[in-house]
Amino acid sequence: QGYSSAASDVYKRQEFVKILSKEKKLSEIWVVARNAQKLQQLAEEFGTKIRPIAKDLSDNVQRKELSAMIAEERAAIQYLINNAGYAKFCSYDDLSVEESINMINLNISAVVALGLYCIPYMKPGSHIINIASQASFQPLPYQNIYSSTKAFVRNYTRALNVELKDRHITATAVCPGCLLYTSPSPRD
């Protein structure tokens, strides 16, 4: 019996769920995000393996509630996909302190907390996939907080991978570039 937890934006989340739902060794896929309606749509689209869990991962209280659920279920976690995150592309003074801290809480604190909550329930051969960004490779004006949080995710994940080697758990930072979603052309 295996579990997986994926979190974040609709398109990427949908692709992860689509791939994981085909894994025969996974009995359940926990999909965590704020929007309960979109989570329910995923469950309807991909079937009974999907367990929608509406939580705001930028909120420490809600992250602890998720941790309690994991402990209560004694989940055997095969994959943890930390895909939650967001960016605001603007000048530093266009963001409130609250928006800035919320971005840091989601992009960094949630990644660290979910890893620490899930690792005790991961067996050898399990995987942590943390979504960073190509923005993590350099400081970017007008994306200063976002690029800094993604640099943290990339570096943290690389170091965590070394620490987890003896447990045979792999941690991978994925650094996609700008992702554009378009409808296929009639020629595709």
Side-chain angles (χ1 to χ4, degrees), residues 65-77:
E65 291 169 358
L66 181 60
S67 172
M69 290 173 66
I70 293 166
E72 183 178 313
E73 301 259 342
R74 302 187 64 66
I77 299 170

Side-chain angles (χ1 to χ4, degrees), residues 70-177:
I70 293 166
E72 183 178 313
E73 301 259 342
R74 302 187 64 66
I77 299 170
Q78 184 67 38
Y79 297 96
L80 168 63
I81 302 172
N82 279 310
N83 188 37
Y86 76 97
K88 291 213 175 181
F89 304 107
C90 56
S91 176
Y92 75 94
D93 59 355
D94 290 334
L95 287 174
S96 69
V97 171
E98 291 77 21
E99 288 173 309
S100 299
I101 298 302
N102 191 57
M103 190 184 311
I104 293 167
N105 281 338
L106 184 59
N107 294 6
I108 293 177
S109 300
V111 169
V112 173
L114 290 175
L116 294 173
Y117 294 151
C118 291
I119 290 169
Y121 299 94
M122 299 179 99
K123 293 182 166 58
S126 296
H127 303 274
I128 298 170
I129 301 170
N130 291 331
I131 304 303
S133 170
Q134 285 187 3
S136 69
F137 292 98
Q138 60 190 358
L140 295 175
Y142 306 103
Q143 298 178 36
N144 58 46
I145 294 174
Y146 176 76
S147 63
S148 297
T149 63
K150 293 304 182 173
F152 173 89
V153 170
R154 182 175 51 85
N155 290 324
Y156 171 75
T157 305
R158 291 179 69 197
L160 184 62
N161 187 54
V162 172
E163 292 183 43
L164 293 173
K165 189 174 185 170
D166 290 343
R167 294 189 59 180
H168 303 282
I169 297 171
T170 304
T172 303
V174 178
C175 299

